[in-house]
Each structure stands twice: as structure tokens, then as C-alpha cells.
Amino acid sequence: MAFLESIVTAAANWIWGLPLVLLITGSGLFFFLFSRFLPFRHLPHGIAVLTGRHDQSGDPGLISHFQALSVALAATIGMGNIAGVAIAISVGGPGAIFWMWMSAILGMATKYFTCTLAVMYRGRDSEGVIQGGPMYVIIEGLGRKWKPLAIWFCVAGMAGCLPVFNANQLTQAVRDIMLIPAGVQNIEMASFIIGLILMSATAAVIFGGLKRISHVVTMIVPFMVVIYVVAVVGIILINIGEVPKYFTLIFTDAFSANFFKGEAMFGGALGGLILLGVRRAAFSNEAGLGTAPMAHGAAKTSEPVHEGLVAMLGPVIDTLIICTMTALAILMTGVWQTTESNGVTLTANAFESAYPGFGGYILLLCILSFGGSSLISYSYFGKKCFSFLFGVKRSWVYNVIYVATILMGAVSSMGLILNFIDFSFAMMAIPTVSSALILSPKVVAASKEYFARQQTNKASS
């Protein structure tokens, strides 16, 4: 296992080098400038679309805008927000958060383009049901000769959407927060049993298809966000005098890279810190990876721009709000300097420090909601990739594989799991972003036409 982990780690570090970071951040900057900030100027309109004010009866699709955003957020507002932020701080210090912010702002533009394209170039699966996602964008937008790129995305997507990281961190949370303090000795057996429970609960939902998944996560996502935000706001209020200090530290540390523990990338520690921020932001909000377009591509709408605007809200909620709150909780309680813990355990230490005796249990409740919704949502994305390659009738095979790997994630080391997912996400990003760059003029043209039409409608009314 140690040899396998070293190979996977080396592969993940290699692929997350300068070329990929430039592709992800450079494409986001390109989308940001090429659109001339047009979608950013209409974010309130996106909120109106999300509430259903612009829905039309008979619009094609499977789920509502709110359900599509919930499915996307259920995947992104997950362990990346609790464990991913903790990993970023423990490796890169407070400055890593700044680069997560920058990546998220650019990620808003990326999500606008990729999710607009997901509706603009929808296709049909083997049973004739309308579907969206990078594989359909590639086939319908670029043509059949580009199918190898679509296959590339689907193979990477089946691997990247496996539940191993979420299962690993859920198991670690239950083990470290509840079982070890209770005196449980046989941790390996406990991890195995937790894995079996997660397998059973996930299977009960995912074999019901997208509508059951969207129904469940629509109930879970608002609940989990409220509980988590209230708890972290409490930590911030307890340490309110420290807020300016740590916000300043995030900015100053972003350019000093004094804390960075990893390898120096492309020229120095600062470059490594930027890489770490981009890498963890990608894990958190998934802009450019292709999962969000698969969710938003199923929304009931005939206006591609609508879904692009709704999708832009994802990085705002996920990284700029939730991840920032997690970072402040870890920084202001000081646990990032006083413990060697990593991942979800570091965040648990912050909660326990703020709420002695019960803080860890508050986080455990949030983790069960966050991680559970992620386990459910990721199955839809991987199954969609499998169905594209092998047909809808065989998609149950992926669900079986998906459920089985939950147990694998529960009993494996975090390093192996995290680097495997990082590598797979990188492989998903290449076809997703490349196709979006090629088709970006189509998005800009559709955006100009749509907003011009909105202005005309306002003037006539």
C-alpha cells in the first residue's frame, strides 16, 4: 500500500503542475475577460431564475433550477469544505485560502461558460432521454470526430466521482470524534462496520435514480448549510476580535509563503502555494471539472443562459462563503498551530476548542449531512459517464461498483485516496475546459442575444 500510495502521489503532483494550473486559472481569466463581465453584472437575475420566476411550462429537462443547483452543491459543499480547507491550511498556512478565493472568482466565469454550454448542447442517452454534460457538449458542439475527448472525460469521470474520499473522511470523523473518545479499541473493525453502514444507506438512495437523488439532497443541502453556518458564526462571534487579524494574515501570508510545507513548484514556494490553493479550490467548488454541467444540464429550461447564471452561484456559496468560514474557524481557534491533525480531524479540533464537550458532535452532525449528500450526488455523475459509454440499461453496474468502493475508501489511508481523486479530477478538467474554450464564442453570442432580448422586453413593458 505504501508503494501504491507513493505512485499515486507522484502522479497527482506531476499532473497538477504548471500546465494544468495555467489551463484552469488561465481559462477562468479568459472567460472572465472575454465575456466583458456580462454574467457578473446579472447575478441578481440568476437569483430570480433560481426561484423559478422565469420558468416556462413545457421546458425540456428533468429537474428544476433549484434541484440542479442542490445536486451540484451537494457534491461541492461536502468534505472539500471541511477536510479540504483543513488540508490546505495545514500544508500551506493561511495564505492558501487567498488563492482558493482567487480560483473561485475565476471559477464563477468557468461555471457560467461550461453550464451554459451544457444546456446549449444537450444530447440524448441510449434511451432517448435528454442529457447534458461535457461529453454531450463535445459530441453535439464539436462534432463526432471529437468523441475520443468525450470518452476521455467519461473514463476520468467514472474514477473521479467514486465516493472513496467522502467515505474516508466520514469514517475518520466518526472514528476520531465519537469512537476513540468512547474507548473503542478495534479501530480497523470499526472502520469496516462504518463502511458497511455507509454502503447500505447510499445504495438505498442511488438506485432510485436522479429524481430520488435530487429530492433527498434538496432536503439535506439547505439544512446542512444552515447548521454549519450557525455553528461557525458562533465560533467567529466568540473570537470576533480576531477576525481582522486573520483576514489580514490570509492576505499577507498569500505572498510570503513562509508556512508552505510542500515541494517548491515551478520556481519557488510561492508558486507551490498558488498551486495548492488552485488544487484545493478545484476540489472544493469543482469549477472546470465537469460535474456541475452534468447536474445543470438536466435542468428544466430552454434558455442556456439561465443555467449558466444559476451555476455561477455555486462557487460563491461553496468557496467564498462556506470555505472562508471553515478557514476562520480553524485559524481563530489556533488549532492549526497547536496540533499535527489534518483533514476533518483538524476542523473537529477547532469546533471542540470553541464548544468544549460538544463541539465535535456538532461538526459530526454537519459531516454526516455534508458527506452523506456528497456520497449520493457523486453517484449520479459517475453513472452518467458510464451510461454514455455503455448504455443506460447497464448503468446499474456502475452503481454496484460505486457502492463497493465506499468500503474501500473507509478502510484506506487519506493520502492514497486524496491523491487518486486529485489525479482523476485533473484528467476530467482537461476535456471540460478545452471544449469550453473552443465553444466560448457561442456562449458570448448567446449571452448578448439573451440580455438584449431582456432589455427589449423591459422597454416594451
Side-chain angles (χ1 to χ4, degrees), residues 350-370:
F351 272 65
E352 189 62 30
S353 174
Y355 308 115
F358 64 93
Y361 294 101
I362 294 176
L363 182 65
L364 182 59
L365 175 63
C366 296
I367 287 169
L368 292 175
S369 298
F370 277 64

Side-chain angles (χ1 to χ4, degrees), residues 299-323:
K300 293 180 180 177
T301 183
S302 56
E303 293 282 5
V305 170
H306 279 179
E307 214 51 39
L309 290 171
V310 171
M312 283 179 66
L313 301 172
V316 176
I317 298 169
D318 177 271
T319 304
L320 298 182
I321 297 177
I322 304 297
C323 284

